[in-house]
Amino acid sequence: MCGWIVSAAFVLYLSAFPGSPAAAPQPPQPCLSPLQWEARTVQYDHATGRNTRAAVSYDAQNQRIRVLEQKTGHTPCKKFFEYIYLFKSGVVFQIEEITKQCAKIPLTEAWDPYDIPLNSTYEDQYFIGGPGDMIEVQEWSDRKPARKNEAWVGVYTLKDCYPVQETYTKNSSVTTSTRIFDLNLGISDPAVFKPPSSCQAALSERMPSNC
């Protein structure tokens, strides 16, 4: 009986003093992002000041991404491309959207999924937009105590862990920020990851984007 009285008194103590160590809230943990989705993106290159708009099909299960550049307005003397990144095969196909001319290029970059790595550092939690929007997101980074600046910052929705924005700083002169929106789960057409027949006679070097 005495033990029960002590335990009850301890519970009452925690209720009266929620800030006590035993009742301290757990720190936020990285959420799990969806493995397959389609969305629209805008990637901003901080060095050139150029925005690239695209429709993206993302398949983390098979480590492949398809990027279809989108033309908005009048852009003189610029080519638009479709890119098919096949990380398991180590190649990327670049297809000119009008002529279907194709280049097959070795893919030297490692697979880097749209997710929050388990060793990420929690930065902030906030709402996007104004009153009534109620889109709550969390911001994470790869910041570590020994390094002052982050090389990666990711913003993901709190409810479903959808990617909203990712910023990469590869070096002092290469920084890109990508916004992701209009996201839909799943892959509506898996054939988008299959290179067209023109890639059977593909070039071995990347084609320039200028005319």
Side-chain angles (χ1 to χ4, degrees), residues 19-92:
S20 59
Q26 294 296 318
Q29 298 296 318
C31 55
L32 296 177
S33 299
L35 298 178
Q36 293 182 326
W37 48 260
E38 295 175 326
R40 295 168 58 204
T41 66
V42 177
Q43 184 179 83
Y44 176 69
D45 189 318
H46 294 244
T48 63
R50 175 179 298 174
N51 283 298
T52 300
R53 299 180 180 273
V56 174
S57 299
Y58 169 80
D59 181 10
Q61 291 181 348
N62 299 290
Q63 296 188 3
R64 54 189 185 175
I65 300 177
R66 183 252 197 168
V67 177
L68 181 64
E69 293 184 342
Q70 296 182 322
K71 183 177 181 179
T72 58
H74 178 62
T75 308
C77 205
K78 184 184 187 316
K79 297 179 181 179
F80 290 84
F81 296 97
E82 174 186 4
Y83 295 90
I84 301 175
Y85 297 86
L86 304 176
F87 285 85
K88 287 187 176 180
S89 301
V91 296
V92 55

Side-chain angles (χ1 to χ4, degrees), residues 140-211:
W140 297 79
S141 78
D142 64 348
R143 178 176 56 85
K144 296 295 181 287
R147 187 176 63 232
K148 180 179 179 181
N149 298 322
E150 306 92 346
W152 166 81
V153 176
V155 179
Y156 284 74
T157 62
L158 181 64
K159 180 179 180 292
D160 295 305
C161 207
Y162 296 156
V164 175
Q165 180 168 325
E166 288 208 343
T167 299
Y168 277 95
T169 304
K170 295 183 179 180
N171 54 53
S172 59
S173 61
V174 179
T175 300
T176 58
S177 295
T178 303
R179 293 184 286 117
I180 303 104
F181 48 93
D182 289 347
L183 186 147
N184 291 296
L185 293 178
I187 303 297
S188 59
D189 182 12
V192 298
F193 298 107
K194 183 179 180 180
S197 58
S198 60
C199 290
Q200 294 178 0
L203 304 173
S204 58
E205 296 182 354
R206 183 182 293 270
M207 293 177 281
S209 59
N210 295 328
C211 300

Side-chain angles (χ1 to χ4, degrees), residues 112-132:
D112 185 10
Y114 281 97
D115 67 359
I116 306 171
L118 294 177
N119 62 347
S120 299
T121 298
Y122 171 76
E123 298 288 355
D124 202 356
Q125 183 169 315
Y126 47 85
F127 289 96
I128 296 178

Side-chain angles (χ1 to χ4, degrees), residues 93-114:
F93 292 92
Q94 179 195 27
I95 304 104
E96 208 277 321
E97 292 185 15
I98 297 178
T99 65
K100 300 302 179 182
Q101 188 176 20
C102 179
K104 182 180 179 181
I105 310 162
L107 186 57
T108 57
E109 299 178 6
W111 168 251
D112 185 10
Y114 281 97

